[in-house]
Every structure is written in C-alpha cells, then in structure tokens.
Amino acid sequence: MGADAVEVEASRRTPEENAVALQTDLVKGLTSHQAAENLARDGPNELEKPPKPTLLMLFILQLTGFVIVLLMIAAVASLVVNGTGPNRGDILSYTTGKAIFVIVVINAGIAAWTEHKAGDALDALSKMTQATIYVVRDGHEVKVEVPSIVKGDIVVLGTGDVVPADVRLIEAEDLKVSEMALTGEPDDVSKTWKMKPPKEGGEEKLTPENCAFSGCNVTNGKGKGIVFATGMNTCIGKIAQLIAGDSSQKPKNKCGCLPDTSANATPLQKNLDKLGSKICMMAIAVCVLIFVIGVIMNRSDPSNPDSPAWLYMILIAVTLAVAAIPEGIPLCVTISLSLGCKDMVKKNVLVRKLAAVETLGSASVICSDKTGTLTEGKMTMVNMFAGGVSYTVGGKGFDPTVGRIQRSAGGAEGGNDIGVRSCLLAGLLCSNTTLEQVQDSETGETKYEPKGNSSEAPIVVAARKAGFVESSANEYKRVLEVPFSSSRKMMLTICDISGRSVLCSNGMPLSGQDNFIAICKGAPNFILEHCSEYLSEDGSTEPMSGLKRSEILKIVDDYSSQALRVLAIATRTMEELPFDLQDEEVSTDERFHRCRSNMRLLGLVASIDPDRDGVPESVISAKGAGIRVVMITGDYLKTAVAIAHNVNILSKDDDDSVSAVDCGRLRPNDEYLKNTAMDALTAHTKVFARARPEDKLEIVKSLQRQGFVTAMTGDGVNDAPALNQADIGVAMGIQGTEVAKGASDMVLTDDNFCSIVAAVEKGRAIYAGIQKFVAFIMSVHIAEVIQIAVCIIAGMPVMRTPLQILFLILVTDLPPSIALGMEPGESTILQDNPRPKKEPVVLAWMWASMVMNGIVLSCVIIAVYIVALVLECDGSVLQEDVQQVEDYENRLMAARTVAFISLVWAENVRSYTSRSFDKPVWRNVLGNKEMQKAIVLAQLCLYAAVLIPYFSEKILGLNGRDIGVRGWFIALAGPFACLVLCEMCKVITAAQMRRYQAYLATQQAALTKGHDDVVNEKMAEPAARQDRFQPAFSERSETIEL
C-alpha cells in the first residue's frame, strides 16, 4: 500500500480503530516484545542512505589524485628509460620504478584505511547525537532513539521535537507543526486529534489535520500520536524515493564510475588540495628546467657514460618530481582532523560538521545563552513576595526537606501564611514539572530531581516546603492549558474549583459560586499589565493602583539587581468560561486573551541560578584569546547585567548603559533598525536582555556584516535559524531540542560554556598542528629539490635516487609529520588573536620559515655530502673526477649513505624544532608523546635501510656497514649544525609572527571601532525615537529565559 493510501486510511479511522489495526494499546502502548518484533519485521525507522564508499573504492580513489598520478607517471618513465637502457636485462635496474609503484600503493592503502576509519569514527560520533523521542511502552514513558520507532508506538510530542514518523494523533493541546519540509508552506499548521468533515466550499487541506508527519517540527503545544508509517514508507520517504529516481539528482561520479567524495571535503582540505596542485605544477616546471639545463650541460649517467644525456636527465627529472611532490599532506590532514574530533568528545563537544573544527580557530565572538550554559540551570527559590509581605526561602538545590519559608522581617515562620500558600499552590497548578526521588548512578545516594521545565522547578520545590504534597495538584482538574510561548511571555491554565470556599487549607477565600480559576505565570511586566487587583496579607483583595504597581516593580528591580530571576503569579476566578471548550473554532490565542483580563496578583517568586564552576575563568580566557563573549538572555536587563558581572562578561571598566541593552532597542516600534544603525549598536554590546529568538538571528547577521566570525548557542526550536546562520552553531545536548541539534555544527553534551572555550582551544591547536606539519613537510621537499638541483648544476654525482627520496619522505618523515599534527598545542595558544576565516593555511611568514629551513637543511647536508665525497673518493667531488676513482660505485654509495644518515638525523632533530615556530626546542621538549614514538619508528627504519644486507645495497643503494666510525661521526655533524641554524632562524620567524599578531590585533580593533563614528552620527536620532515607543515600565521588565 502506498504512503498516500496509508495516510488517508489512518486519518479516516478513529484512534481506537487505528489501535486495533496496529495491535497496540492507546494507554499502555506496545510491549517491549512487540516493539522488537515490529523492528525486526519493518527495519529501522530511517531513510535509505547512499552507500558509503567501500575500502576498495576509497583505495582506487586515492590513485586518481593529481599528486599520485604524477608519481605513477614518474614510475612509468623510470621503467621505460631503464627498459631501453644498456642494463635492461638486469632485474634490479627496474627497482626504482617498481618501488615507486609499491610505495604509491602502500601510501594509497594507508590513506584509504585512514579515511575509512575516520568515516567510521564520525559515524560513531553522529550516533552519539542520535535524535531521541519519548514513547509509551509497557505502560511507561521511555526515551528511545528515533531509528527504533516502530509502527504501533505511541509517540509523545512536545514543542521543539521533530516528528519521528508518520503518526495519527490521539491527543493534541494547542499543537502546531511546521510542514514546510513536506509541503513548502511557511505557516505553522494547527493539528487536532478529531476527525473533521470537510467544509463545503472550503479549500482542501494539503495534509490531514489529525496526522503529523516525519521530519516536521513541533512549534507549539503538545500531543500524542500512534505511528502508522516508518522509514521509507513515510511521506518524506516517498519524496526521497522520487528524488532517488531522478537522474539529475543521482550522485556525481568521478572518472566516469567512481563516486565523487569532494563534497565531503572541508575548506581546509580543499585549500590544501589546491596548494598541492600548485606545488605539483611548480614541480613540473622545475623538472623541465633542470632537464633542459642537464641536457645543455651534457650530464650523463655515471654508470653508463656512453648513454645520451637526455635519457639520464629523464631519470633525474623523475627524482626531482618525487622530491618536490608533497604526497603526505592529505593523509596527515585526514588523520589530524579525525583524531581531533575524537579528542573533542573528551571535552564534552560532539562535532557534527568537520569544517567546524577549522572554523573554531577563527571565532571572534561567542554569543551564549545564560540559563544552563553560563549558569547551572538549577534554579533555587530564595525570595518571594506574597500578600504584600516579603519572604526568604531557605535550602539549596531540589531537596524540599531542607530549608524553610520565613518572613524577611523578623524571621517568623511563613510557610502557613495565606499569601504564601495561595501563591505557591497557584504556581503549582500552572506548572507541568514534577519532583521525583532518584538514585545517583555514581554515588548510589538518593536525591531529588525535577522532571520538566527548569524555571518551574523552584516553585514545585517551594510548594513542597509549604506543605503541599505531590498529589496536591491532582485535586484540581485542569480543563485548559495555554503553554508558554515567546510571544505571550506567560503560561495560563484553567482548573476546576467548583464547590470550594477557599483555594486550599489556609488559602485565598473563594466566593463559592466560582467554578473555574485561571492562573497566569510569567514575566512580571506582562502579568502586571493585566492585573486590576492584588491579594493582601489577610486574604482580602485590594485594587491595583498605579502607586502599588510602581512599588511592586521596585521590588522586581531589587530582586533583579541581585541576579535573581523573577516570575509573577496571578489568578482570575470565573463562574463560567468565556468560551465553549468544545468549540474548536476559538483559537488558543483567543482563549488566552479572554481569560487573562482583570486578574488578581498573588505574588512574585525570585530564584537564583548559580554560575557554573569555571565559567568566569573561561570568559577571561576567551577575552585573552581576542574573543568577545556576548550574553543573550530573555531576562530583565538588571538581572542580566548582574549575572554578566558575576561571570566576567562585563568588567568594572565597562559602562553598563553602553555594553548592556534591552533588545527593544533593536526593534523600536517592532521594526528592526536599518543595517547601519543595527551594526553600530551591536559593535560594542556584550549583553542583550529581553531577547526574542528572532533577535538572535538579527544579532548574528549584524556581527557577520562587521566581519566577526560568530559562534551562537541555542536550544529551542526558534533558535534553529540563528544556529544555521552562525559560522559555528552550538546546540545544547541536555536542554536542546532535536530541531536545534539538527541545525548546529556541534553539540555540547554538558551544556557548559567552558566546553565552548575548550573546543576553541582544541580547534586552534588542531589547526596549528596542521600548519606545523605542512611547514615541516614542505621544507623537507624544498630541501630535497635544492640538493638535487645543486648536484646537477655543479656537476656532482646526484646525492639521492628516487627510491631513497620516497623512502625518506614516506617512511622516515611521515611518522613525525603525523605526530606534529597531534601536537597538544602551546600553552599560550589562547593568547593569540583569532585567525581570519579566509586566511590561507600557509602564511607569508610560514613560507619564509619553510624556505629558510629548507636552505639550512640543504646547505648542511650538501656540506656533509661534499666532505664524505672528499674522504671516500680520494678528494674528488665532481662527477667526472669521481668516475675515475677505483671502485667508485661502492665509494659513491658510501658517500651517499653518510649523507642519507645525516639527513634522517637532521630531519628528526627538525621534527622537534618544528613543534614551535618561535619557541626554543628545549621548552617542553618531551611534551608530545606521539613524537617520541614517531622518532623511534623513523630511527628503526633508518637502520633497517642502511644495515640489512641486500635490501640496503641492492634495493636502496645504501651501505651503512662499510662507512666505518668516521662516516657515522661525519653524519653527526648534520643534525648538530641543523639544530643550531634552525633555532637561529626562529629569531627571524618570531619577529615576523609578532608583526603578524600585531596586524591581526589592529584588524580586530578596527572591527570593533569601525562603527564608532556611525554610533555618534546615526544612533542619536533612532535612540531618541525609540525611547518614545518604549512602554512606561519597559525598563523594569522581566521575561522568561528563552
């Protein structure tokens, strides 16, 4: 049966009929056994994915790379030249060509295996961020991963969830769903569980009103639904099948049949590929140049002087090509990025997009939520104002057995006062959070833990302290709930109080004729706007005068200046509801507006959310790294300022009136400022209070227009556009909705701001490590080219064969390069300025460092080689003279061996000097454990290459057994000279780095200061104009954290 038919059939059946058809229970759901059977029968609830490239396919793809192709051409050229030469009958004459092929295959195999394992590692990380949803199984609500959803499951939906499968709704309370992904319609769609007959003359709905579909976001309300289609059988699955059948949407192929994986490459990998291609083109030009020079100078093969010079120079060109091509860079980058992602997991950061690792090093602004990120998210009530009396609430955390409610004046017991009991019960009736006793998995201790909204937890805990029990709320039947939304700024519930003369024992008196009570809980300024009276100390009511409203707002100010978060609670009693509950034509917003007028203020509750440990220090570290930390919160301005000072976002030197703004200034008269004025306002602001979710998007756009690289945190469904717009979207792993996680680049598993700073530090370290090994590898290749070119131009015997060069680069140089990519990062890395986002991988001062080090290495090794030639070849240095020496082939082999050993030792020493561009080598010399392993491996390979009989002299053309003690001592001169000269080069590099950092600091300051003139010229008039639009009490406003 097609997806459309299943959808229509499910929508036309009652919930009970669907339950029978799907063999489930509307109350208890499926049993675990049924769910397992259905999963085995229908498969996982996920769309079909294009097959991953196999290990063999990745291996073949490696062979199509430009660098590898050039190497294979060099190998073919070597085989052809030797196959047409005088030694074509000697199998060993083909060693170089065959060895190049072997090493190319080994390199491609290692690269393919590494990419394959990196893909597996990223898949494992993605499973750690697997979307989850609550379902009813075995009569209990349990959280399961979305792929394990099966037909017949009862799914529990709430605001911020992504519908996991196609469901027929069985409950719906003010439920709205965004079906843009399915239908393209931008407006949210209201949903109901009922079957409505189509209206005559009305437009046909694009989707049934009583169904919700996989992949759609729940934007409001809550509900339950029974799953009738999963995976590819859903509506979104059918669309996926249509796309798969469209030839224009089929995966791109490379070389006709191989999959094109270039879309998965990060910007860094693409930049390095371009760099490698440019170097290859330069290498070709150098090879051609040296070939021409060699032919003109008639450089012939020393082993076959009668052969033409052009034939020998082809082999030399092959040698140069091998020396110049940086074949190890792509492999090192892949390893470094994949290992970096794994390391970030240990820092509570899950990277969803590999490019985020690179972008982290460029972050110049971090925009952070407050609750749960900068603070612990564990709200504790410490003060309340009820019945005209101020109270203090003792205790800490969620344990209701610790602490009492006392009058602030005198300390008398206040938990039984009319105002306290009425206010806390009303707050409890307007909450969905429960308090449960759970066992700590680590300590085994029993503790209290709230389940639900963190802002409601303090009310529930305080109500228990006032004597209310868990079942108290169940005594008042809830007939309507209007959930909190960012537009309403409050939550409303209506409960049945028929037959009651008092709200509760020792509570607010009731008329006895009222049947319903409407309770509002939310931002004080919004609540007070609709209050016409207030509850006094003795339980009577008094009219809400302007003077009284000002007094209450002054109390809100006082609480907020102490970094307390304030909520107001108000009620309205009614004989009958101002609407028909059964009339679905009356919208939720209309019901809300009809109930919230003429309310009675019961009181205020003030809670504190303690700063997270380490956050103030992390903020200071971020500032030292040139990163501006911005707090965006829904709290009242004074609360936000107080907290910002506590966590060091605002310092003593900051002018709070400039650095902290109410977001109302961004949108006077509900219209956002023009770009110029908006940029001028955001250029210096560190705290945005009373923020709406859409404000985040405008703030990010403004900062990006000014050139800042922005990281933005978010957890709600409305945060998704800002997360997607930001250069680095950071979702919360605990409080975050699935919509927010899906729009993010990385997820904080602990919702902790400290983890963002740690991720920035790690991202910088990874990028710096990549720069270090790129500089190291490139300097090695530069040195190889210089050494061979000098030998050809000067007429000396060529120092090294192509096979020896490949052995050096892939066996003795590659392990230290990989170790450099795993460099832990310098202790001062957070003292550097952010890297410009479009900055090239290799900077000008790095090129200078590479060239200097390449020249140093070349000069040192050439000098060692000349000394070795003089000692081994009876004073001869030039090729023509060396050929006249008796047994010159073995003597030349000895000289080459000395130079080879010296070069390996020198490059191993340079591995340590390359750990820092400007710091001396002896600083934390053993700080990288991987480097010690790499050097040991390189040394073992060296001694195998020069000491193992037959392999050393017949294959590699080396013989360390015959150079004697003198040869080993001569070789020692190379690393010592290289160490001294490379360290001296660091003096020049350090000066260049300081100039570059000063340049970056100037650029960063220019970004911040660039709008100062605009502030003075453009903001005066809008600022004056917006003041006229602000409500009289807008400066004393409080909203719930978004």
Side-chain angles (χ1 to χ4, degrees), residues 124-162:
L125 292 178
S126 67
K127 289 178 181 178
M128 294 177 72
T129 57
Q130 184 75 62
T132 57
I133 196 80
Y134 278 99
V135 300
V136 179
R137 286 185 185 172
D138 299 314
H140 302 286
E141 283 191 16
V142 294
K143 183 182 284 189
V144 300
E145 293 183 349
V146 167
S148 65
I149 297 288
V150 297
K151 287 197 292 185
D153 264 328
I154 306 298
V155 176
V156 182
L157 299 174
T159 302
D161 287 334
V162 178

Side-chain angles (χ1 to χ4, degrees), residues 364-637:
S364 52
V365 177
I366 299 176
C367 297
S368 175
D369 285 323
K370 175 184 72 70
T371 302
T373 307
L374 296 170
T375 61
E376 291 184 359
K378 297 179 180 178
M379 304 290 290
T380 303
M381 190 184 299
V382 293
N383 291 101
M384 67 180 296
F385 175 81
V389 180
S390 294
Y391 298 86
T392 58
V393 183
K396 187 178 181 181
F398 303 124
D399 190 344
T401 63
V402 178
R404 299 181 302 159
I405 301 174
Q406 299 173 293
R407 292 194 174 215
S408 300
E413 181 66 37
N416 205 39
D417 289 359
I418 292 176
V420 170
R421 290 183 61 79
S422 301
C423 182
L424 290 179
L425 177 61
L428 190 64
L429 296 177
C430 194
S431 300
N432 291 318
T433 298
T434 58
L435 193 64
E436 300 175 352
Q437 278 188 295
V438 297
Q439 192 173 43
D440 193 306
S441 58
E442 295 181 359
T443 63
E445 297 179 356
T446 300
K447 64 177 182 179
Y448 286 89
E449 190 173 275
K451 181 181 178 183
N453 192 298
S454 61
S455 65
E456 295 177 349
I459 297 174
V460 176
V461 174
R464 296 281 284 271
K465 291 178 181 179
F468 295 104
V469 295
E470 188 176 350
S471 59
S472 295
N474 298 332
E475 299 173 11
Y476 302 80
K477 181 183 177 182
R478 184 180 293 183
V479 297
L480 178 69
E481 175 186 336
V482 179
F484 169 84
S485 73
S486 57
S487 58
R488 301 186 191 112
K489 305 298 183 190
M490 62 184 81
M491 174 182 178
L492 181 141
T493 58
I494 298 178
C495 296
D496 190 334
I497 56 169
S498 54
R500 294 179 181 271
S501 59
V502 290
L503 182 61
C504 60
S505 173
N506 205 38
M508 178 178 68
L510 301 174
S511 67
Q513 298 177 348
D514 293 323
N515 296 313
F516 301 99
I517 183 170
I519 306 167
C520 260
K521 167 174 62 65
N525 63 305
F526 286 90
I527 296 286
L528 284 169
E529 186 179 353
H530 302 289
C531 288
S532 59
E533 59 186 25
Y534 67 93
L535 181 70
S536 62
E537 184 178 0
D538 60 2
S540 61
T541 58
E542 300 289 342
M544 179 71 74
S545 64
L547 180 61
K548 189 63 180 179
R549 180 178 281 108
S550 297
E551 289 178 5
I552 295 172
L553 287 171
K554 190 174 291 185
I555 294 171
V556 174
D557 278 351
D558 181 55
Y559 286 155
S560 298
S561 64
Q562 302 172 49
L564 301 182
R565 189 169 171 202
V566 189
L567 295 177
I569 299 172
T571 62
R572 174 190 173 188
T573 54
M574 300 170 287
E575 290 187 25
E576 59 182 24
L577 297 177
F579 50 82
D580 183 0
L581 275 174
Q582 305 303 317
D583 185 1
E584 294 192 3
E585 297 301 318
V586 181
S587 68
T588 299
D589 286 333
E590 180 63 26
R591 295 181 182 187
F592 174 71
H593 288 302
R594 292 185 187 181
C595 292
R596 72 175 181 181
S597 59
N598 297 318
M599 304 203 79
R600 177 186 304 167
L601 179 69
L602 298 188
L604 307 170
V605 293
S607 306
I608 191 167
D609 189 2
D611 309 333
R612 276 188 180 269
D613 291 339
V615 166
E617 294 78 11
S618 292
V619 171
I620 292 175
S621 296
K623 289 181 178 180
I627 301 172
R628 173 155 60 106
V629 181
V630 175
M631 183 173 79
I632 305 178
T633 176
D635 279 341
Y636 164 48
L637 183 58

